[in-house]
Amino acid sequence: MAATGNGPLSGVRVVELAGIGPGPFAAMLLADLGADVVRVDRPGGAGLGIDPAYDLTNRNKRSVIVDLKSATGPARVLDLVERADVLIEGYRPGVTERLGVGPDACLARNPRLVYGRMTGWGQEGPLAQRAGHDIAYIALTGTLGMFGKPDEPPTVPANLVGDYAGGSLYLVIGVLAALQHARTEGGAGQVVDAAIVDGAAHLATMIHGMVAAGGWQDRRASNLLDGGCPFYGNYETSDGQYMAVGALEPQFYAEFTRLLGLDEAEADARHDMARWGELRDVIAARFRTKTRDEWTAVFDGSDACVAPVLSLREAPSHPHLAARSTFITHGGITQPAPAPRFSATPGAVRGGPARPGADTAEVARDWDVPSIEKDSEKDGAQ
């Protein structure tokens, strides 16, 4: 596998201290955009029980094995750090310091290094040392409480809102901003503290403004964008599938109600919140008269802002996504293509998931760090 692609981050070197969840995904984003990401795996793997061949968050990377608890392990990582632009780690606060590869040690070795830290609770605060997962982070920020029906428990949005939106994406934004600063005249490296609680809270900035202005009720399914509005939600079809409706603007709503077959009196309930329950019932009854595919055909080519709710397996075959190559197949695995897109320096999937330790010889040669190869041989790596 090529060490780097021709993406916008071609030539950028990243050391990733192996972890799980948002850290690896952030490193994958950098790798997708052309960075040379070397994942430092631990002997025995991450302990997730996932076949490394299917861990797509490790695509486009290379892997070496280093035992950071061994006498020589920290020095091996610092050898890599000396030649890197970025380091990403996702341990609890203080762990890398105890292992000898914390910010002070790394920045002393490489003053222009961007040291990216990914945690749930952040580097300080009463909960900093507590264990946690996505659901707890978004619960505390008020984000989880926005999803679902008012008379049911909040709906869990997989681990997309916390781990990946509030975590990985904010870490990448921070790393790229700090990298830009480090490369300016007189610039220096620095530590990026990316906490999922910070990112998940930040995602709701617009809604906090609406709450302050009285335009958003602080309860589930009571607002324009949270399922409380009858013309912004999901409706079951006759075959047990669903259609998603987002006809907010008047002109789109008019198109939606025309194609759905609502009469003027029924459609006019839009303007009276007291009649929203009545409108929801009418829309739901109408959607139950046809299958999902039949309704998809009805709304095809319109500006009604209606779309079929597809499964993960169905999505890659949708004509629009297929035309854009939003999904690709690499190594026999269908997966999302790199995003976003660049006109001059496109990202690409250059290689499948890195296997722990499989790239030791290449990394030792390309980064001129022979100590990595010797240490990996001692640890029994490939």
Side-chain angles (χ1 to χ4, degrees):
M1 182 185 74
T4 184
N6 65 343
L9 295 183
S10 179
V12 173
R13 286 180 168 179
V14 179
V15 174
E16 175 198 352
L17 302 186
I20 61 174
F25 187 76
M28 183 206 77
L29 287 172
L30 299 175
D32 281 356
L33 299 181
D36 181 6
V37 177
V38 171
R39 178 176 166 96
V40 179
D41 279 298
R42 66 193 72 175
L48 278 180
I50 298 174
D51 184 344
Y54 292 92
D55 189 351
L56 294 176
T57 62
N58 285 329
R59 72 186 187 188
N60 284 340
K61 303 176 184 179
R62 299 191 288 180
S63 171
V64 300
I65 291 180
V66 175
D67 184 359
L68 278 169
K69 294 183 179 180
S70 72
T72 58
R76 305 309 184 216
V77 170
L78 291 175
D79 287 344
L80 289 170
V81 164
E82 183 176 339
R83 295 156 175 80
D85 301 289
V86 177
L87 179 143
I88 288 177
E89 63 95 358
Y91 299 134
R92 292 197 203 190
V95 171
T96 57
E97 286 87 344
R98 292 195 295 272
L99 291 172
V101 291
D104 290 346
C106 289
L107 286 166
R109 191 72 170 266
N110 181 355
R112 286 184 174 266
L113 181 75
V114 173
Y115 195 104
R117 315 196 80 167
M118 181 77 263
T119 60
W121 303 115
Q123 294 299 312
E124 68 279 321
L127 297 177
Q129 292 297 330
R130 290 273 298 276
H133 281 295
D134 174 289
I135 192 170
Y137 308 138
I138 65 174
L140 206 66
T141 60
T143 314
L144 178 60
M146 292 191 295
F147 301 113
K149 298 180 179 180
D151 55 347
E152 297 179 2
T155 298
V156 180
N159 67 329
L160 302 178
V161 174
D163 280 352
Y164 297 128
S168 303
L169 297 185
Y170 278 87
L171 176 60
V172 169
I173 290 169
V175 163
L176 294 180
L179 185 61
Q180 169 67 15
H181 170 75
R183 292 187 167 188
T184 60
E185 184 176 355
Q190 60 182 303
V191 177
V192 177
D193 173 7
I196 295 172
V197 289
D198 296 345
H202 192 262
L203 287 170
T205 299
M206 180 191 76
I207 294 174
H208 278 278
M210 295 173 71
V211 170
W216 188 280
Q217 303 302 309
D218 196 11
R219 57 181 183 272
R220 289 191 295 284
S222 302
N223 301 282
L224 196 64
L225 301 174
D226 66 355
C229 170
F231 41 94
Y232 196 89
N234 302 311
Y235 290 92
E236 187 175 8
T237 56
S238 64
D239 55 346
Q241 301 296 317
Y242 290 87
M243 297 294 290
V245 176
L248 293 176
E249 293 82 355
Q251 68 273 27
F252 303 148
Y253 180 76
E255 181 79 345
F256 163 63
T257 55
R258 181 182 68 82
L259 292 172
L260 191 65
L262 271 59
D263 61 37
E264 185 176 347
E266 291 170 329
D268 194 55
R270 163 194 175 95
H271 305 291
D272 183 359
M273 290 187 65
R275 296 181 61 197
W276 275 13
E278 168 193 330
L279 177 58
R280 188 189 314 279
D281 291 341
V282 170
I283 293 174
R286 197 60 53 89
F287 269 115
R288 284 195 293 267
T289 65
K290 298 181 188 294
T291 67
R292 186 186 67 179
D293 288 347
E294 288 172 333
W295 281 119
T296 298
V298 168
F299 290 104
D300 185 45
S302 76
D303 276 342
C305 299
V306 177
V309 178
L310 303 181
S311 70
L312 291 175
R313 292 187 182 278
E314 290 175 315
S317 299
H318 186 274
H320 179 78
L321 303 184
R324 284 184 57 80
S325 298
T326 299
F327 292 86
I328 60 171
T329 298
H330 186 279
I333 303 175
T334 299
Q335 57 197 278
R341 304 182 184 199
F342 297 81
S343 61
T345 56
V349 176
R350 306 180 304 280
R355 309 297 179 92
D359 309 294
T360 301
E362 284 186 6
V363 173
R365 179 195 66 223
D366 295 347
W367 285 41
D368 191 23
V369 186
S371 62
I372 288 293
E373 189 167 17
K374 293 177 182 177
D375 201 49
S376 293
E377 289 173 351
K378 181 190 71 176
D379 290 329
Q382 299 179 22

